[in-house]
C-alpha cells in the first residue's frame, strides 16, 4: 500500500505444463515455481495446467506462509488444471465449464478430456470486492486450418458472458490465463471489448520481458520451433487482463515476464513464460466501447462452425442409414436359403457374421457421432441466439433507446457510498 488513497496489487500467472510422467522435469519445475512464488510474494497467483492435485497440495504446503488461502478447480476427466493462491482470504469460489471443448476422438490433442473452464474466486482487498478469474481455452494446433476456431470463439463468448454476469458487484475484476488467442484474434477482441477488460501488456507504463511480450518463445528448450510457424520468435497467448468499476480504477504500473532460462537452473519454469503485473488501484476513469462489429463477426464465425457441424451430423446420419440398409440387405440375403424349397448350397456363416459385425460397428459409430454433433449443433445454436440478442440490444443502444439492464454501470459513485473507498480497514 502506497498511501491512504491507493493500493498496489501484484498478480502472477503461469501455465505450468504440469502433466505428471509426461511433462519433462515436472517435479523439479514445480519446486522451482514454489521457490519463485515464496520469494516474490505476489498478492494473487493464478496457475494453469496443474493437472495433478498432488502437485497442487505440494505447492499449497510450500506457500502456506506467504499465500495462506488457495483453491483448486476440479472439472472433466483429469481436472481443469487451474489453481489460485492468495494472500487475501477467499470468500467464495465458482467454476463454469465451457459447453464446447474439442472432440473426444481427437485423443492425441487431449483438450476434451481436460474439462476446460473458467474459475472465479471472490476476495476482499481492504474494503474492496475483487472478482478474480483464471481460465485456459482450447489450444490452436494449426493456424492455417484451425478446426477448433468456432469452439474457441464460443469459449470466449461464454467467458465474457460469465464475467459480465458475475462481476456486477465487483470493485475490480482480474482475468489471467492461457487464452490460446493472439492479441488481434477474434475471440480476444470479443472478450476485451465486451467486458471492458484491459491488457496489461498494452497498458503498462513499464515492461521487462521477452520481445513483443511473447509468452511462447522459440528459444524455450521445451518448445519445438516448427510448432510456432509462421511466427519465428514466438507468440503472445498468455494474459493478465483487468478493469475497475464505478468506484475504483486500475492502472498497470509494470509488467514483467520470464525470459526462458532461469538463473542457476538447467531448464525454465515451463514451456510458457510467467507473467507478473503490478497494479495500482485509484480513482475511476472509464469509457464506453463499440461492440456491434465484433459481436457480428463472432456470430458469423459461429455460423460457419454451425454449418460445418450440421454437415458432419448429416454425414453421420447418412452413413448410419447406409449401414442399416446394408444390414437389412444382408438379412434378406440370409433369408433366401431358408425360404427356398431346395437349399443345396451351404450357408456362408463366416462371411455373414463378419459383414454383420461391420454393419453393427458402422451403426454404433455413426450413432455416437450423431449424438456428439447434435450436442455441438445445439451449443453453437445457443451461442448464436445469444449473440443475435446481444447485437439487437447494442444496436438499440446505439440508436438511443435505453436498455433494461446496461452492460456497464454508470461511472459514478453509488448513492450513500464514499467516493473513495480505497482506505484500508482499521
Amino acid at each position: 500500500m502506497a498511501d491512504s488513497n491507493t493500493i498496489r496489487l501484484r498478480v502472477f500467472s503461469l501455465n505450468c505444463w504440469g502433466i505428471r510422467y509426461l511433462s519433462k522435469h515436472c517435479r523439479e519445475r514445480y519446486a522451482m515455481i514454489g521457490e519463485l512464488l515464496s520469494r516474490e510474494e505476489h498478492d494473487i497467483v493464478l496457475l494453469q495446467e496443474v493437472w495433478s492435485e498432488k502437485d497442487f497440495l505440494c505447492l499449497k504446503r510450500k506457500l502456506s506462509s506467504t499465500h495462506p488461502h488457495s483453491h483448486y478447480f476440479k472439472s472433466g476427466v483429469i481436472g481443469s488444471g487451474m489453481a489460485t493462491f492468495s494472500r487475501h482470504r477467499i470468500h467464495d469460489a465458482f467454476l463454469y465449464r465451457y459447453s464446447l471443448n474439442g472432440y473426444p476422438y481427437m485423443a492425441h490433442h487431449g483438450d476434451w478430456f481436460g474439462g476446460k473452464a473458467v474459475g472465479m474466486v471472490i476476495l476482499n482487498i481492504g474494503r474492496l470486492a475483487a472478482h478474480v478469474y483464471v481460465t485456459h481455452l482450447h489450444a490452436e494446433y494449426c493456424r492455417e486450418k484451425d478446426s477448433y476456431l468456432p469452439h474457441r470463439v464460443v469459449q470466449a463468448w461464454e467467458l465474457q458472458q460469465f464475467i459480465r454476469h458475475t462481476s456486477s458487484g465487483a470493485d475490480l475484476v482480474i482475468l489471467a490465463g492461457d487464452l490460446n488467442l493472439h492479441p488481434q484474434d477474434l475471440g480476444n477482441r470479443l472478450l476485451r471489448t465486451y467486458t471492458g477488460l484491459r491488457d496489461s501488456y498494452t497498458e503498462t507504463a513499464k515492461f521487462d520481458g521477452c520481445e513483443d511480450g511473447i509468452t511462447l518463445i522459440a528459444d524455450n528448450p521445451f518448445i519445438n520451433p516448427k510448432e510456432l510457424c509462421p511466427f519465428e520468435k514466438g507468440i503472445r497467448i498468455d494474459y493478465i487482463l483487468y478493469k475497475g468499476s464505478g468506484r475504483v480504477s486500475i492502472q498497470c504500473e509494470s509488467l514483467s515476464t520470464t525470459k526462458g532460462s532461469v538463473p542457476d537452473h538447467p531448464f525454465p519454469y515451463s514451456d510458457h513464460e510467467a507473467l507478473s503485473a503490478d497494479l495500482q488501484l485509484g480513482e475511476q476513469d472509464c469509457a464506453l466501447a463499440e461492440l456491434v462489429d465484433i459481436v457480428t463477426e463472432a456470430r458469423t464465425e459461429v455460423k460457419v462452425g454451425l454449418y460445418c457441424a450440421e454437415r458432419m451430423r448429416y454425414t453421420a446420419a447418412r452413413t448410419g442409414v447406409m449401414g442399416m440398409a446394408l444390414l437389412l440387405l444382408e438379412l434378406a440375403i440370409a433369408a433366401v436359403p431358408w425360404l427356398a424349397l431346395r437349399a443345396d448350397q451351404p450357408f456362408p456363416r463366416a462371411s455373414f457374421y463378419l459383414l454383420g459385425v461391420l454393419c453393427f460397428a458402422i451403426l454404433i459409430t455413426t450413432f455416437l457421432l450423431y449424438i456428439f454433433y447434435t450436442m455441438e449443433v445445439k451449443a453453437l445454436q445457443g451461442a448464436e441466439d445469444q449473440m443475435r440478442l446481444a447485437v439487437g440490444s447494442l444496436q438499440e443502444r446505439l440508436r438511443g433507446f435505453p436498455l433494461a439492464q446496461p452492460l456497464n454501470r454508470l461511472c459514478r459513485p453509488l448513492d450513500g457510498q464514499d467516493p473513495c473507498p480505497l482506505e484500508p480497514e482499521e
Side-chain angles (χ1 to χ4, degrees), residues 100 150 154 302 305-306 309 375-385:
L100 290 176
V154 170
V302 170
L306 177 60
M375 294 170 60
E376 183 181 11
V377 165
K378 290 184 180 296
L380 290 169
Q381 286 175 339
E384 196 275 331
D385 288 341

Side-chain angles (χ1 to χ4, degrees), residues 309-341:
E310 288 177 338
R311 289 199 61 181
M312 294 299 292
R313 183 175 66 171
Y314 172 76
T315 302
R318 185 175 61 179
T319 305
V321 170
M322 293 175 60
M324 178 63 72
L326 185 61
L327 180 61
L328 294 176
L329 179 61
E330 181 189 14
L331 293 176
I333 294 175
V336 170
W338 297 95
L339 298 176
L341 296 178

Side-chain angles (χ1 to χ4, degrees), residues 178-425:
D178 177 6
L179 300 185
N180 278 308
L181 295 169
H182 295 237
Q184 294 304 317
D185 281 357
L186 173 60
N188 198 325
R189 291 183 286 120
L190 177 68
L191 170 65
R192 288 186 288 107
T193 308
Y194 219 127
T195 59
L197 289 167
R198 296 152 64 188
D199 186 352
S200 57
Y201 174 73
T202 59
E203 298 287 335
T204 185
K206 179 182 177 182
F207 175 72
D208 179 24
C210 300
E211 182 180 355
D212 298 325
I214 57 177
T215 58
L216 208 61
I217 64 175
D219 294 336
N220 191 304
F222 299 138
I223 294 294
N224 181 0
K226 294 181 180 179
E227 297 177 356
L228 297 176
C229 291
F231 307 97
E232 296 180 358
K233 295 181 180 180
I235 55 179
R236 184 164 77 96
I237 57 176
D238 300 88
Y239 300 84
I240 295 178
L241 308 177
Y242 62 89
K243 73 171 182 176
S245 65
R247 304 169 62 197
V248 178
S249 69
I250 309 180
Q251 300 295 329
C252 184
E253 288 191 328
S254 66
L255 176 71
S256 62
T257 69
T258 53
K259 302 176 184 179
S261 60
V262 178
D264 302 324
H265 290 87
F267 41 78
Y269 295 109
S270 174
D271 59 344
H272 289 240
E273 302 306 314
L275 292 84
S276 179
D278 291 328
L279 306 177
Q280 178 176 312
L281 283 57
E283 295 181 358
Q284 169 61 28
D285 179 20
C286 66
L288 181 64
E290 295 289 341
L291 299 174
V292 175
D293 291 341
I294 292 181
V295 178
T296 301
E297 185 180 353
R299 185 183 175 195
T300 301
E301 189 60 49
V302 170
K303 283 184 176 180
V304 172
L306 177 60
Y307 174 75
C308 294
E310 288 177 338
R311 289 199 61 181
M312 294 299 292
R313 183 175 66 171
Y314 172 76
T315 302
R318 185 175 61 179
T319 305
V321 170
M322 293 175 60
M324 178 63 72
L326 185 61
L327 180 61
L328 294 176
L329 179 61
E330 181 189 14
L331 293 176
I333 294 175
V336 170
W338 297 95
L339 298 176
L341 296 178
R342 298 179 61 184
D344 298 333
Q345 297 295 330
F347 183 72
R349 294 179 180 273
S351 300
F352 177 80
Y353 290 142
L354 182 62
L355 189 57
V357 169
L358 177 61
C359 292
F360 276 113
I362 293 175
L363 287 175
I364 292 174
T365 302
T366 54
F367 177 72
L368 293 176
L369 287 174
Y370 184 85
I371 292 177
F372 177 80
Y373 285 121
T374 298
M375 294 170 60
E376 183 181 11
V377 165
K378 290 184 180 296
L380 290 169
Q381 286 175 339
E384 196 275 331
D385 288 341
Q386 294 166 359
M387 292 179 183
R388 174 176 51 81
L389 294 173
V391 168
S393 64
L394 288 170
Q395 289 175 338
E396 287 186 359
R397 188 167 186 175
L398 290 175
R399 289 195 297 264
F401 292 95
L403 293 178
Q405 186 175 359
L407 297 178
N408 297 313
R409 295 183 298 176
L410 294 177
C411 299
R412 65 170 185 265
L414 300 178
D415 293 336
Q417 293 182 343
D418 298 333
C420 184
L422 295 172
E423 296 182 2
E425 293 179 325

